[in-house]
């Protein structure tokens, strides 16, 4: 019987996070693959003079539900099939690298400007950054911490004082500035794409916050997957090479704009409100891509 390892982060435990590996194990089992759930603090990989070693003998593949790129890169280096790949997680876990990958593939997205890196805590913000950002993006504009998630590092800037105060807090981390898509205030669409195909869509709406993340108080409802939405989401998934992802899509004045691609998208709320079997679709894709014979 084929065997899979499902890796989860050792230090991050919520009900939503526990749901994902359990559902994937169930759906892999339904396709004849026996999956075990493992934590990253088992220290499963080592780099040695002769190459990279991993404690994965006897396993056919890894489903990697963490963003810890060191372990993922090492697993991939041993030749183990991993879902998602190091490249995908790297592009999705850095909002600026993700935006570059999307733009290079012609995916429509809001105008985005990389924030200049600052290495010193005592450094002061010069006068030209805010003025130039306003000239390029208009007001208000959005500032994002590049490695953030769940809406926590996404901010709406409406004044220079607000911008300066935020910059002081985030200046030692990678960040970007982006045009605010006012038509999409408090709402966006989450599309799940598996194996290159859009599976379904969920409208996320927030009352009283420009961010629609469910984790930040937004609520989800099933949303029709029209041809334009399907095309933009599948293109975005392709641009980052995702086996599985959740694409956040904004409502632009002239059509859909991709906000970001999430390689580690939660699918609990999505399964509940759409009735779609996301874990099943992902398991099916994994089994096919690895050429595993179900129940063999
Ligand atoms: N440029 C933008 N214009 C309007 N709303 C935005 C913009 N960027 C992000 N948002 C809102 O903020 C939310 C969080 O931003 P996102 O880039 O997806 O970061 P996170 O990784 O925290 O989810 C989005 O789901 C969307 O509702
Ligand atoms: Mg998002």
């Amino acid at each position: 019987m084929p065997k899979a390892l499902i890796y989860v982060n050792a230090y991050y435990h919520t009900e939503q996070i526990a749901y994902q590996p359990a559902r994937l194990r169930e759906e892999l089992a339904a396709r004849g693959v026996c999956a075990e759930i493992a934590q990253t603090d088992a220290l499963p990989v080592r780099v040695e003079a002769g190459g990279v070693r991993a404690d994965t003998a006897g396993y056919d593949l890894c489903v990697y539900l963490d963003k810890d790129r060191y372990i993922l890169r090492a697993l991939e280096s041993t030749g183990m099939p991993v879902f998602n790949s190091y490249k995908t997680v790297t592009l999705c876990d850095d909002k600026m690298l993700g935006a570059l990958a999307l733009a290079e593939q012609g995916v429509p997205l809001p105008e985005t400007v990389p924030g200049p890196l600052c290495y010193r805590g005592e450094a002061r913000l010069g006068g030209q950054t805010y003025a130039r950002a306003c000239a390029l993006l208009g007001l208000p504009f959005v500032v994002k911490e590049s490695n953030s998630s769940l809406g926590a590092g996404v901010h709406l800037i409406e004044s220079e004082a607000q911008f300066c105060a935020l910059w002081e807090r985030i200046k030692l981390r990678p960040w970007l500035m982006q045009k605010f898509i006012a038509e999409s205030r408090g709402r966006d669409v989450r599309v799940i794409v598996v194996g290159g195909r859009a599976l379904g869509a969920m409208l996320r709406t927030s009352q009283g916050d420009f961010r629609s993340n469910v984790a930040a108080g937004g609520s989800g409802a099933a949303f029709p997957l029209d041809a334009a939405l399907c095309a933009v989401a599948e293109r975005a998934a392709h641009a980052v090479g995702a086996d599985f992802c959740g694409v956040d899509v904004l409502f632009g004045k002239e059509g859909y704009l991709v906000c970001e691609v999430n390689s580690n998208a939660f699918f609990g709320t999505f399964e509940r409100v759409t009735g779609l079997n996301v874990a099943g679709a992902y398991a099916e894709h994994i089994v096919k891509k690895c050429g595993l014979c179900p129940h063999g």
Side-chain angles (χ1 to χ4, degrees), residues 73-117:
R73 174 74 175 77
L75 288 170
E76 214 171 79
S77 169
T78 67
M80 171 66 83
V82 291
F83 298 88
N84 279 304
S85 70
Y86 171 79
K87 177 193 151 191
T88 298
V89 173
T90 301
L91 292 177
C92 293
D93 194 35
D94 183 315
K95 294 184 193 305
M96 192 65 223
L97 294 183
L100 287 162
L102 293 174
E104 283 163 359
Q105 294 296 315
V107 176
L109 75 166
E111 217 167 322
T112 304
V113 179
L117 263 186

Side-chain angles (χ1 to χ4, degrees), residues 95 144 151 178-179 181 188 204 211-213 248 260:
K95 294 184 193 305
K144 299 187 185 183
Q178 192 167 70
K179 190 175 178 63
I181 306 304
D188 71 357
R204 303 187 302 177
R211 298 161 300 183
S212 52
N213 303 69
D248 294 348
E260 65 160 354

